[in-house]
């Protein structure tokens, strides 16, 4: 018998199992830790699987991530090396992320934090409006999510640039690639966005050194940071110090080194910061299960699957 297991110790798996049964009624769906006979399980979808669970499934053929990122799966040091890992690439998730990115770029661009503060104090005061064409938005990570956000920001009139490992050709978007072009990318970026995956190479990349290389020629004379990639990429003490001394004008942070963000973090109440609880782009159970069901159908037909990560690159 071929069975499918959800292994999501930190999430409620019930809505996921229900969605999977709807998306693939023929599949035998199980939920960790009640997985029945482990020999039956050929497919697993997970988020933060406990050590030894995946490696204890001898007939596992594909591991599915329930999100676009796979760091929550690769965190398992016992993960079997021979089983392919497939991540989510889906227009619904991509749209959700672009909504978040466009919303936060616009909130900073139109100075919404200052307007909110004035509203609380009953102050009627309009601020200078700057043209989008005078603002350069730089996206670190021009993958599936970064490219979609880049296109949408370009349509709105912003100058858009992106940085990735390999160079890209995207109409209206300047592409920079590799460590050797990072400084060039940063020096004319007014609003920096991270949509990078968490990998050993990107860990800690958002630090004082990087932030101090950003443009100070934009409308606010200091840059803005938006991180919806992963918290591991940011040094939060550096970000706070840069906000306090004016190296940064503002920040939107959706991801943190520790999640949930501890109540004691100064980021919660910092007047220049917008905090969201790792919710830039939710994985919607039925959408994601429909995607996984289609991948399993393809795999059962001819052993094919798409959006497999490269284990050597960790994304
Ligand atoms: P992709 O794999 O499609 O894109 C990753 C991009 O990062 C690629 O352009 C890649 O370059 C680039 N990259 C990776 N490593 C480096 C490096 N060392 N130097 C420069 N560029 C690098 O991923 P997605 O766009 O689908 O997702 C990106 C990330 O967004 C996820 O991994 C996840 O961490 C995060 N995410 C966050 C969510 C949230 O709610 N906050 C929701 C969904 C995702 P290249 O193109 O050359 O390979
Ligand atoms: C993801 C996430 O990787 O939600 O999809 O963080």
């Amino acid at each position: 018998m071929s069975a499918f297991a959800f292994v999501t110790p930190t999430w409620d798996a019930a809505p996921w199992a229900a969605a999977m049964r709807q998306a693939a009624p023929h599949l035998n769906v199980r939920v960790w830790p009640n997985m029945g006979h482990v020999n039956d399980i050929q497919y697993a979808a997970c988020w933060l699987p406990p050590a030894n669970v995946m490696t204890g499934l001898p007939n596992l053929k594909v591991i599915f991530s329930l999100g676009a990122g796979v760091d929550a799966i690769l965190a398992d040091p016992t993960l079997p090396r021979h089983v392919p890992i497939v991540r989510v690439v889906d227009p619904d998730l991509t749209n959700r992320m672009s909504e978040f990115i466009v919303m936060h770029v616009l909130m900073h661009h139109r100075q919404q934090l200052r307007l909110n503060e004035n509203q609380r104090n009953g102050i009627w005061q309009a601020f200078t409006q700057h043209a989008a064409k005078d603002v350069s938005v730089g996206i670190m990570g021009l993958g599936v999510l970064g490219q979609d956000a880049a296109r949408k920001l370009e349509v709105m009139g912003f100058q858009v640039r992106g940085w990735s490992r390999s160079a890209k050709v995207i109409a209206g978007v300047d592409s920079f690639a590799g460590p050797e072009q990072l400084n060039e990318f940063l020096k004319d970026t007014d609003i920096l966005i991270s949509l990078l995956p968490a990998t050993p190479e990107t860990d800690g990349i958002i630090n004082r050194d990087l932030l101090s290389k950003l443009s100070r020629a934009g409308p606010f004379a200091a840059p803005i940071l938006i991180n919806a990639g992963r918290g591991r990429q940011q040094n939060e003490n550096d970000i706070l110090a840069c906000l306090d001394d004016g190296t940064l004008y503002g920040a939107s942070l959706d991801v943190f080194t520790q999640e949930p963000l501890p109540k004691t973090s100064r980021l919660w109440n910092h007047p220049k910061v917008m905090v969201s609880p790792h919710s830039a782009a939710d994985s919607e159970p039925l959408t994601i299960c429909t995607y996984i069901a289609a991948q399993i159908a393809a795999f059962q037909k001819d052993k094919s699957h798409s959006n497999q990560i490269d284990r050597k690159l960790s994304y």
Side-chain angles (χ1 to χ4, degrees):
M1 186 202 302
S2 153
F4 176 97
F6 281 104
V7 183
T8 60
T10 57
W11 297 7
D12 176 12
W16 287 91
M20 199 64 193
R21 290 185 181 110
Q22 189 179 337
H26 58 283
L27 265 186
N28 181 327
V29 178
R30 302 179 186 177
V31 173
W32 178 89
N34 303 314
M35 294 198 296
H37 204 295
V38 290
N39 286 351
D40 302 341
I41 295 171
Q42 299 195 334
Y43 309 98
C46 41
W47 195 261
L48 283 173
N52 297 317
V53 173
M54 290 296 124
T55 200
L57 304 175
N59 295 317
L60 195 58
K61 292 188 164 38
V62 186
I63 297 174
F64 294 97
S65 168
L66 291 174
V70 291
D71 46 303
I73 296 178
L74 298 180
D76 172 2
T78 63
L79 205 65
R81 282 218 70 88
H82 64 281
V83 182
I85 300 173
V86 167
R87 70 190 196 91
V88 172
V89 174
D90 183 88
D92 175 74
L93 187 122
T94 304
N95 277 333
R96 287 168 197 253
M97 181 56 87
S98 290
E99 284 173 10
F100 176 91
I101 298 296
V102 170
M103 172 174 79
H104 279 271
V105 167
L106 289 178
M107 289 215 282
H108 288 287
H109 177 61
R110 299 297 295 260
Q111 304 191 66
Q112 192 60 42
L113 277 174
R114 293 178 72 196
L115 289 169
N116 290 348
E117 178 69 14
N118 279 357
Q119 179 179 345
R120 279 192 292 276
N121 295 309
I123 297 172
W124 182 273
Q125 180 196 7
F127 302 124
T128 308
Q129 273 175 26
H130 303 280
K133 71 175 175 44
D134 296 331
V135 177
S136 163
V137 182
I139 304 178
M140 295 200 291
L142 264 191
V144 173
L145 303 180
Q147 291 193 28
D148 192 68
R151 288 194 190 94
K152 287 172 179 164
L153 290 165
E154 196 270 334
V155 166
M156 301 199 72
F158 291 99
Q159 298 167 39
V160 184
R161 47 186 37 224
W163 179 71
S164 38
R165 267 186 345 107
S166 54
K168 307 284 180 250
V169 181
I170 308 166
V173 176
D174 292 333
S175 161
F176 299 81
E180 52 294 345
Q181 290 188 353
L182 179 58
N183 288 350
E184 205 187 331
F185 161 78
L186 295 171
K187 87 175 170 39
D188 292 320
T189 292
D190 301 318
I191 301 181
L192 179 71
I193 295 167
S194 176
L195 283 173
L196 287 166
T199 72
E201 284 184 24
T202 63
D203 281 352
I205 188 169
I206 304 171
N207 54 31
R208 177 176 278 283
D209 180 51
L210 178 135
L211 296 172
S212 53
K213 289 176 180 160
L214 290 164
S215 162
R216 306 187 70 79
F220 307 124
I224 285 153
L225 167 69
I226 299 173
N227 186 6
R230 280 293 184 262
R232 272 166 50 180
Q233 288 153 18
Q234 70 199 13
N235 179 323
E236 284 158 16
N237 288 333
D238 280 9
I239 291 173
L240 279 163
C242 286
L243 287 161
D244 291 342
D245 70 14
T247 303
L248 269 180
Y249 185 79
S252 292
L253 304 175
D254 183 60
V255 287
F256 301 91
T257 46
Q258 188 184 334
E259 296 181 3
L261 179 64
K263 289 239 179 335
T264 51
S265 171
R266 247 193 345 117
L267 289 167
W268 280 114
N269 293 315
H270 199 289
K272 296 179 179 174
V273 178
M274 286 185 248
V275 164
S276 51
H278 195 145
S279 56
D282 278 354
S283 291
E284 197 281 314
L286 187 56
T287 308
I288 305 305
C289 288
T290 304
Y291 164 82
I292 294 175
Q295 290 261 14
I296 292 175
F299 188 82
Q300 285 176 334
K301 190 163 157 241
D302 58 13
K303 299 264 176 291
S304 69
H305 50 269
S306 44
N307 306 317
Q308 179 180 343
I309 65 142
D310 182 333
R311 289 289 281 271
K312 287 197 288 306
L313 296 175
S314 305
Y315 75 96

